[in-house]
């Protein structure tokens, strides 16, 4: 198995888990403020990753935590988490996930300027084809477009910056240590949201269950994403983020009763096709 294929598989697994995490947090936000759900999720995830780091015999806090790269990563992380949490709470899950799929374009562009990666015109065409698929789903400029989707756009920019900083983070940092850093920032984002979205509410059994589910799948997703961004070429692995949209569409239909139109379905097919083409182009024989 090539590094590119391994990285692509980790990315798809991460996106499936992130879609489940989004669904769980959106469901929890029906009973408690979204800021509270994110805060509880952040605390739980921090404890899990801290336990994993200790189990691996590594310090919970890596010396690089206060380094320039990790500070930049934390800044992007908190903005991504903050705005995307608002997006999934205030807009349809399928719509927020669709906007998030522009991330590969931003990351691939960043990989060219930050890491000097070479991206051929065929890969660029495939990446842009995937973005066209996203536009088919969003239908910007039409009545179906929601102005609140700006939160998803801002979240997307934050996540793209985080992914690039993850690639540049010291290789000595384990996924668990990166997870601790990420979920501490997530806790801060949740606290900020809670301060503006109302006071703490006694959680129901259902909301606690959804936060627990978000923690389980979120820890797995974060670990898989970190592994994906450290394996293979960024310009090949990152476009498999598009798969998150497909998982979100299925969950939106099954859990929240969302009904995608024909453009959403056609756009999804375009997204999948572009990802498969990128993987084919990454093989040594291509």
């Amino acid at each position: 198995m090539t590094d590119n294929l391994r990285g692509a598989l980790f990315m798809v697994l991460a996106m499936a888990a992130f879609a489940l995490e989004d669904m769980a947090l959106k469901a929890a936000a029906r009973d408690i403020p979204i800021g509270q759900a994110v805060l509880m999720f952040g605390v739980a995830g921090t404890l899990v990753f801290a336990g994993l780091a200790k189990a691996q015999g590594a310090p919970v806090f890596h010396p690089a935590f206060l380094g320039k790269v990790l500070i930049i990563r934390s800044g992007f992380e908190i903005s991504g988490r903050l705005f995307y949490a608002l997006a999934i709470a205030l807009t349809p899950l399928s719509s927020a996930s669709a906007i998030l799929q522009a991330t590969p374009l931003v990351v691939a562009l960043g990989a060219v300027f930050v890491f000097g990666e070479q991206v051929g015109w065929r890969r660029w065409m495939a990446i842009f084809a995937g973005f066209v698929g996203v536009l088919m789903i969003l239908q910007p400029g039409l009545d179906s477009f929601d102005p609140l989707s700006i939160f998803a756009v801002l979240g997307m920019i934050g996540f793209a910056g985080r992914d690039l900083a993850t690639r540049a983070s010291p290789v000595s940092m384990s996924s668990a240590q990166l997870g601790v850093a990420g979920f501490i920032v997530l806790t801060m984002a949740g606290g900020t949201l809670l301060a503006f979205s109302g006071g703490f509410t006694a959680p129901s059994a259902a909301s606690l269950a959804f936060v627990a589910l978000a923690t389980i799948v979120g820890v797995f997703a974060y670990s898989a994403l970190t592994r994906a961004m450290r394996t293979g070429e960024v310009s090949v692995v990152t476009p498999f983020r598009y798969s998150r949209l497909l998982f979100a569409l299925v969950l939106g239909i099954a859990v929240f009763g969302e009904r995608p139109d024909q453009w959403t379905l056609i756009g999804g097919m375009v997204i999948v096709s572009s990802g498969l083409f990128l993987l084919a182009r990454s093989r040594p024989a291509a």
Side-chain angles (χ1 to χ4, degrees):
M1 183 181 292
T2 65
D3 284 344
N4 283 336
L5 178 56
R6 188 179 296 108
L9 289 175
F10 276 117
M11 183 62 79
V12 172
L13 289 174
M15 294 304 104
F18 274 127
L20 282 170
E21 173 195 309
D22 292 344
M23 179 275 293
L25 289 177
K26 185 176 180 66
R30 292 185 295 191
D31 295 327
I32 58 177
I34 182 61
Q36 181 178 333
V38 173
L39 176 63
M40 294 166 60
F41 174 46
V43 171
T46 300
L47 294 175
V48 171
F49 272 120
L52 290 174
K54 296 296 289 184
Q56 296 168 358
V60 174
F61 300 102
H62 192 278
F65 269 22
L66 297 179
K68 180 180 178 180
V69 171
L70 267 294
I71 291 176
I72 293 174
R73 182 181 186 274
S74 295
F76 279 117
E77 175 95 46
I78 194 169
S79 64
R81 290 288 189 174
L82 184 67
F83 290 116
Y84 190 64
L86 287 171
I88 62 174
L90 300 176
T91 64
L93 180 61
S94 55
S95 174
S97 296
I99 294 173
L100 194 65
Q101 303 318 301
T103 303
L105 284 173
V106 180
V107 174
L109 188 62
V112 172
F113 291 103
V114 178
F115 302 118
E117 283 196 7
Q118 298 298 315
V119 179
W121 68 270
R122 291 183 180 84
R123 288 187 184 178
W124 277 119
M125 289 296 291
I127 292 172
F128 276 104
F131 186 57
V132 169
V134 173
L135 291 179
M136 289 180 180
I137 295 170
L138 285 180
Q139 301 173 46
L142 302 181
D143 292 339
S144 60
F145 185 75
D146 188 347
L148 291 176
S149 294
I150 187 63
F151 290 130
V153 174
L154 295 173
M156 176 272 294
I157 294 173
F159 286 143
R162 177 200 64 186
D163 287 357
L164 286 168
T166 297
R167 179 78 171 193
S169 63
V171 295
S172 60
M173 291 191 71
S174 67
S175 296
Q177 290 171 324
L178 278 172
V180 170
F183 273 81
I184 286 177
V185 171
L186 177 60
T187 302
M188 296 168 58
T192 303
L193 278 173
L194 185 60
F196 291 97
S197 63
F200 191 88
T201 301
S204 64
S207 60
L208 287 175
F210 281 122
V211 171
L213 174 60
T215 301
I216 294 170
V217 296
V219 166
F220 174 81
Y222 208 92
S223 299
L225 177 63
T226 300
R227 185 73 176 271
M229 292 306 298
R230 287 178 162 180
T231 307
E233 299 170 82
V234 173
S235 58
V236 174
V237 173
T238 300
F240 283 86
R241 275 183 166 277
Y242 288 138
S243 61
R244 183 173 185 163
L245 174 58
L246 304 181
F247 295 120
L249 287 175
V250 172
L251 290 172
I253 293 170
V255 179
F256 302 110
E258 298 173 5
R259 291 293 179 265
D261 58 20
Q262 62 177 352
W263 285 109
T264 298
L265 298 176
I266 295 173
M269 293 174 62
V270 171
I271 289 168
V272 172
S273 298
S274 67
L276 293 175
F277 177 81
L278 280 163
L279 182 58
R281 290 296 305 174
S282 71
R283 293 173 182 169

